[in-house]
Amino acid sequence: MKAKGEAAEQPEQAHGGRAPFSQDPHAVREPKENNLEMAIGHEVRAYRKKLGITVTDLAAATGISLGMLSKIENGNISPSLTTLQSLSRALGVPLTAFFRRFEEPRNAVFVKAGQGIELERRGTRAGHQYNLLGHIDNNTSGVIVEPYLITLTADSDIFPTFQHEGMEFLYMLEGEVVYRHGDQLFQMQPGDSLFFDADAPHGPEQLVKLPSKYLSIISYPQQSSGG
């Protein structure tokens, strides 16, 4: 019988010696007093990489030691105003740019049952109803997510075949459809899910049991505001 520690290592070994996911869904951020330091460090590193320079290059340009720069970029230290001014000049950004991430609002959208925005998407056919359940633009993640509740209440002469950037996740709530992704067909019933690259042609191929209802969550990179 193996010890608990040995059993816990098995999932990593099954994936070539590394954990399958790098994101911990139960992780918490650093204590509140460290959030500002983390935000400043994130911006310093981002602007440095945008210029294509190394930490050594930045140290030479500012006179700040490598060790100090490493602590700043990792959010382990609160840099003085003088240090921030030196970084601002070397990186060619205003001093306030280092606080941008800390000051950005974190938004949330709450939609009551039945109050999603009904809209027509490209390729929508009669009997295909799309309700957008929320949208947050210009968020801090760099990813746009569009959650839809799709209801199919009547057969259609032509089934839509969508093709767009990003990833898409479907979760079947009621009814039954045969869903196409590329050259594959999936029989979807309540509780089934499908996660796929949305660049391949996809859409309901056959409406087996109506009404059918499923969640469609689409994610794609957020476009830079600078064009």
Side-chain angles (χ1 to χ4, degrees), residues 27 87 132 136 146 166 183 190 195 200 205 224 227:
L87 290 169
L132 181 62
I136 298 178
E146 297 177 358
D183 59 359
F195 185 44
E205 179 83 3
S224 171

Side-chain angles (χ1 to χ4, degrees), residues 80-126:
S80 67
L81 182 59
T82 301
T83 297
L84 289 176
Q85 287 175 328
S86 297
L87 290 169
S88 171
R89 286 192 294 268
L91 295 171
V93 297
L95 189 64
T96 54
F98 298 132
F99 304 96
R100 178 183 63 85
R101 187 175 178 85
F102 181 73
E103 295 173 344
E104 283 180 341
R106 285 3 181 220
N107 298 319
V109 176
F110 175 67
V111 178
K112 291 288 289 182
Q115 294 184 6
I117 301 172
E118 187 172 340
L119 47 80
E120 283 195 4
R121 285 188 58 198
R122 179 182 59 81
T124 297
R125 300 289 188 264

Side-chain angles (χ1 to χ4, degrees), residues 4-53:
K4 290 184 178 179
E6 293 178 57
E9 294 175 357
Q10 288 178 353
E12 294 189 2
Q13 294 169 356
H15 290 269
R18 61 189 179 89
F21 305 109
S22 60
Q23 183 78 296
D24 179 0
H26 303 293
V28 294
R29 286 297 180 97
E30 294 71 20
K32 180 64 179 177
E33 60 268 20
N34 289 337
N35 283 352
L36 177 59
E37 286 80 0
M38 292 294 292
I40 291 173
H42 179 276
E43 295 305 318
V44 170
R45 181 186 294 108
Y47 285 120
R48 174 177 63 76
K49 289 186 175 181
K50 187 175 181 180
L51 291 176
I53 62 176

Side-chain angles (χ1 to χ4, degrees), residues 149-153 171-177 189-190 209-215:
L149 175 62
I150 301 178
T151 305
L152 311 178
T153 56
Y171 185 82
M172 201 71 188
L173 298 172
E174 65 178 81
E176 183 178 346
V177 302
Q189 299 174 329
K209 183 178 179 182
L210 294 173
S212 291
K213 186 177 293 186
Y214 57 90
L215 291 174

